[in-house]
């Protein structure tokens, strides 16, 4: 079955760009009508949707983060990526990648990766 | 947009039922039948339990059910079991290709 795995630096300096990759295994990222999302969760807090990408490259972003977020897809590597610029301590969180398989619901999640913003 | 409002906590004894509310606005919960619910155990990724207000993915016990009235959605867990103790989050499509999550509810099995 399809599995997702996040990867990337666990520590990012303030004002720099956070970069994460989600690798899709067990199926092609291009098959089916799926969107691929990034979602984050600060320690002890709730979930926040960051944005999503369709395999065509079409993207949608959370309006509150839109100016700092870029999501891209590399179908040849079966991966999609997140870039979040000008990070601050408020961006410290566990970052999840997820598939939108059910209509407007996130049916498959990666295990999450912790990113700390600190100098 | 603002997070959907959930009660911080809910509890019940084994075998009992617990219902969690998720209150939004006419721009999200009330405007679309795209409310989903997620179960999250400590240190784990969320798991989809309900989508499109009341549909259960394959493998989710029928003890879990969802409903919606106006701007408020609800998740009911019947026949509570120890393994149901977890955090639960609602989510709703909010229009304009945007999504919003709830504040989360910690369910305790007494």
């Amino acid at each position: 079955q399809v599995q997702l795995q996040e990867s990337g630096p666990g520590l990012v300096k303030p004002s720099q760009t956070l970069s994460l990759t989600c690798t899709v295994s067990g199926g092609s990222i291009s098959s089916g009508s799926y969107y691929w999302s990034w979602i984050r969760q600060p320690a002890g807090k709730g979930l926040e949707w960051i944005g999503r990408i369709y395999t065509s490259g079409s993207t949608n972003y959370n309006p509150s983060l839109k100016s700092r977020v870029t999501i891209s897809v590399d179908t040849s590597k079966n991966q999609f990526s997140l870039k979040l610029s000008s990070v601050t301590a408020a961006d410290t969180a566990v970052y999840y990648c997820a598939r939108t398989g059910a209509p407007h619901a996130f049916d498959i999640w990666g295990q999450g990766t912790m990113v700390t913003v600190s100098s | 947009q603002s997070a959907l409002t959930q009660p911080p906590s809910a509890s019940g004894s084994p075998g009992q039922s617990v219902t969690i509310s998720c209150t939004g606005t006419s721009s999200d919960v009330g405007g679309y039948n795209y409310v989903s619910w997620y179960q999250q155990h400590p240190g784990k990724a969320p798991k989809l339990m309900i989508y499109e207000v009341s549909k259960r993915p394959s493998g989710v016990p029928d003890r879990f059910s969802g409903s919606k009235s106006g701007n408020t959605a609800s998740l009911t867990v019947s026949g509570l079991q120890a393994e149901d103790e977890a955090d639960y989050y609602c989510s709703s499509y909010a229009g304009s290709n945007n999504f919003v999550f709830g504040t989360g509810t910690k369910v305790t099995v007494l």
Side-chain angles (χ1 to χ4, degrees), chain B residues 44-94:
Chain B
K44 300 296 186 181
K47 174 187 176 183
L48 177 65
M49 305 301 284
I50 296 286
Y51 67 98
E52 286 188 283
V53 177
S54 61
K55 298 179 180 179
R56 278 179 288 105
S58 174
V60 173
D62 59 5
R63 303 185 292 103
F64 292 85
S65 62
S67 62
K68 190 186 86 167
S69 178
N71 296 336
T72 298
S74 298
L75 173 72
T76 297
V77 185
S78 305
L80 267 175
Q81 298 182 5
E83 60 262 36
D84 299 332
E85 185 162 296
D87 293 329
Y88 291 83
Y89 293 91
C90 61
S91 175
S92 176
Y93 180 66

Side-chain angles (χ1 to χ4, degrees), chain A residues 1-6 22 24-25 34-37 39 80 96-102 105-111, chain B residues 38 45-48:
Chain A
Q1 72 278 22
V2 174
Q3 294 182 312
L4 308 181
Q5 177 69 59
E6 306 88 350
C22 182
V24 180
S25 60
Y34 301 123
Y35 281 90
W36 305 89
S37 285
I39 295 161
F80 64 105
Y96 295 100
C97 56
R99 187 186 81 169
T100 306
F106 310 102
D107 65 335
I108 300 177
W109 295 64
Q111 66 183 30
Chain B
Y38 302 86
K47 174 187 176 183
L48 177 65

Side-chain angles (χ1 to χ4, degrees), chain A residues 5 9 20 24 28 30 32 39 56-57 70 72 77 109-110 112:
Chain A
Q5 177 69 59
L20 296 174
V24 180
S28 170
S30 301
I39 295 161
S56 65
T70 302
S72 59
K77 294 182 178 179
W109 295 64

Side-chain angles (χ1 to χ4, degrees), chain A residues 41 49 52 60 96 106 110, chain B residues 34 38 40 45 89 97-98:
Chain A
Q41 183 175 36
W49 181 73
R52 67 179 184 179
N60 305 116
Y96 295 100
F106 310 102
Chain B
Y34 292 127
Y38 302 86
Q40 186 179 35
Y89 293 91
N97 294 307
N98 193 21

